[in-house]
Amino acid sequence: MSIYPYTYIHTYIRGKRIYVLYSLTFTRVIRKRSTEEFSCIPYIVALSNCLLYTWYGLPVVSYKWENFPVITINGLGIILELSFIFIYLWFAPTRGKIKAGTITTMVMVIFTVTAIISAFVFHDHHHRKVFVGTIGLVASVAMYAAPLVVVKQVIMTKSVEFMPFYLSFFSFLASVLWLAYGLLSHDLLLASPNLVGLLLGILQLGLYRKYRKRGTTYNIQEIRA
């Protein structure tokens, strides 16, 4: 049974739908010239995930081009996530710029160290895949968990304004498809983090279902107190 039909479906949904939804968020940021209460963390964590899995799919780590679909979708993700982060930095207040810049720098350093170690310390594809895949697994779980930074705000305000439904839904769907890809290709390092993503996606959708009809707005300073 070929895994590639599943790969192309996943590529279309995750590459087109999720990034288009990100674009809608940043269209609002540009239009209002403000990042409002949107968090930079999900986009930076997603960048780390894309960097690691692009490296994971390259022939340096994987055997030849066995994970070419992983390279294409995550390579696109690197370009778009960097664009989103740049827009965030442009419109964020000074405190937000410092926070986003610091975390992005840390992500780039971790990725660089990972790439150097995998290329020069390990001398076969198996050990390189295990090393990079393990770190990528942590990054993937963090990526799926990152939107949960707004959970406190959702619960306190009883509003899902800053946790868009379609972003949560297509992230959940992407988890299902990545899980299928990993299982069909017998790659547990690709499949396992998406099981976590599946559960976290269900949690986000559950919160949306509970609070979707409530439009109560509170003062942000009260929420942070």
Side-chain angles (χ1 to χ4, degrees):
M1 182 179 183
S2 174
I3 62 174
Y4 288 98
Y6 292 90
T7 300
Y8 293 137
I9 292 171
H10 173 269
T11 299
Y12 176 79
I13 292 176
R14 188 173 187 271
K16 299 290 184 180
R17 301 283 184 172
I18 293 181
Y19 291 135
V20 165
L21 291 167
Y22 278 5
S23 298
L24 293 176
T25 297
F26 281 91
T27 297
R28 169 173 170 170
V29 169
I30 293 170
R31 186 177 67 251
K32 294 193 173 185
R33 303 185 67 81
S34 170
T35 55
E36 300 179 278
E37 292 303 310
F38 288 110
S39 173
C40 65
I41 293 177
Y43 307 100
I44 299 173
V45 174
L47 172 64
S48 71
N49 183 76
C50 290
L51 286 166
L52 287 166
Y53 275 105
T54 298
W55 182 248
Y56 180 89
L58 288 171
V60 177
V61 176
S62 294
Y63 180 71
K64 294 185 177 179
W65 297 101
E66 62 177 337
N67 282 314
F68 181 73
V70 177
I71 300 170
T72 56
I73 188 60
N74 286 287
L76 172 65
I78 291 172
I79 296 171
L80 294 176
E81 295 296 350
L82 284 172
S83 299
F84 298 144
I85 293 169
F86 176 79
I87 294 171
Y88 187 94
L89 288 170
W90 187 267
F91 291 105
T94 301
R95 183 178 178 182
K97 285 183 171 67
I98 295 172
K99 178 180 179 180
T102 301
I103 299 174
T104 301
T105 300
M106 290 173 60
V107 162
M108 298 303 294
V109 169
I110 291 172
F111 167 71
T112 301
V113 171
T114 300
I116 291 172
I117 291 175
S118 63
F120 296 104
V121 174
F122 299 101
H123 302 292
D124 61 88
H125 292 292
H126 173 72
H127 288 95
R128 288 174 180 173
K129 285 181 70 174
V130 170
F131 176 69
V132 178
T134 300
I135 297 175
L137 187 153
V138 175
S140 289
V141 172
M143 181 185 72
Y144 288 122
L148 298 180
V149 296
V150 300
V151 165
K152 178 182 177 181
Q153 183 175 335
V154 169
I155 294 173
M156 294 295 292
T157 64
K158 297 180 174 59
S159 170
V160 292
E161 180 181 4
F162 296 103
M163 192 178 74
F165 168 76
Y166 288 109
L167 183 57
S168 296
F169 174 73
F170 283 109
S171 294
F172 164 77
L173 194 55
S175 297
V176 173
L177 293 168
W178 265 129
L179 180 61
Y181 178 93
L183 291 175
L184 289 169
S185 60
H186 307 289
D187 192 332
L188 293 180
L189 290 172
L190 288 177
S192 52
N194 291 286
L195 178 59
V196 178
L198 182 68
L199 298 175
L200 292 175
I202 292 172
L203 174 60
Q204 291 179 57
L205 292 174
L207 281 172
Y208 191 92
R209 183 178 183 278
K210 181 175 182 179
Y211 294 116
R212 71 186 188 280
K213 294 182 180 178
R214 303 185 184 185
T216 308
T217 302
Y218 294 84
N219 185 287
I220 297 300
Q221 296 300 323
E222 294 176 359
I223 298 171
R224 292 175 175 170

